[in-house]
Amino acid sequence: MRFLRTPDECFRDLPDFPYEPRYAELPGGPRMAYVEAGPAGGEPVVLLHGEPSWSFLYRHVMRELAAAGLRAIAPDLVGFGRSDKPADPADHTYARHVEWTRALLFDALGLDRVTVVGQDWGGLIGLRIAAEHPERVARIVAANTGLPTGDTPMPEVWHRFRAAVENAPVLDVGRLVQAGCRTALAPRVRAAYDAPFPDESYKAGPRAMPGLVPITPDDPAAAANRAAWRILTTLDLPFLVAFSDGDPITGGMAPRLRASMAGAAGLRHPVIEGAGHFLQEDAGAELGRQIAVFVTTA
């Protein structure tokens, strides 16, 4: 497997993102990057981003969690941000992303009793990790995400998104993030989302991820996701559903998660108003406050 590494100079002058990058070398695999905020001894909250963003997306959430005395940890998925990037789209598989992220959190960082927060692909990965390693998890937050098994059709807007990503001659990452926001991104913010990808050769991850979502019952990841559903629906871990009020891609998953997850019963599940798919960008401070209340009270 051949990896690319985005030059450090691409990440200069990031707006409102003062966090120093940290790195972990995974055995036999890529180097993964992550940033932290808050006290080292605080309760750990892992913030998993999705397609096509990186840990920069969580900058406002991290500030709120740190202010609440929590240890916020935001990794960059392999292929994104400052993490190494497999050059061949075929090297990206759902199983590999789950294992790479698991290895970072539990082997490299040694985290225990962690709150897993996942949005978009961060949820597809984080929910699998929580289901497969519940002894290391204290709580779960699902934010504009799901755990597809291929047994239920995806919305038409998602199919249009997948086709656009796969067929675009030049993949405009900043434009994709903007399309998932209700607020207008400042030029420097939009540039920060483009920063990990100095040319098309670095974009195998963003190109590949839509095609890894299980959309048929016989998809390679469908059985593992069904098994995760079976575990999560009976797991006695607090499960917060914190969706925005304006996500056409995953919005339909919110009521299903609230009704299905054993740990969701009896909780007040917030609806983040005025936000789109990337609710961390549109309403990151509010999402951060809701997560902080959940972690400190549940």
Side-chain angles (χ1 to χ4, degrees), residues 101-111 114 129 133 136-137:
T101 308
R102 183 213 63 81
L104 172 70
L105 302 182
F106 300 149
D107 296 346
L109 300 183
L111 298 178
V114 64
I129 290 173
H133 305 276
R136 306 292 289 268
V137 176

Side-chain angles (χ1 to χ4, degrees), residues 239-262:
F239 192 113
L240 188 72
V241 180
F243 276 49
S244 73
D245 63 351
D247 184 9
I249 296 176
T250 67
M253 283 301 303
R256 184 180 177 194
L257 291 172
R258 289 195 298 264
S260 301
M261 299 301 169

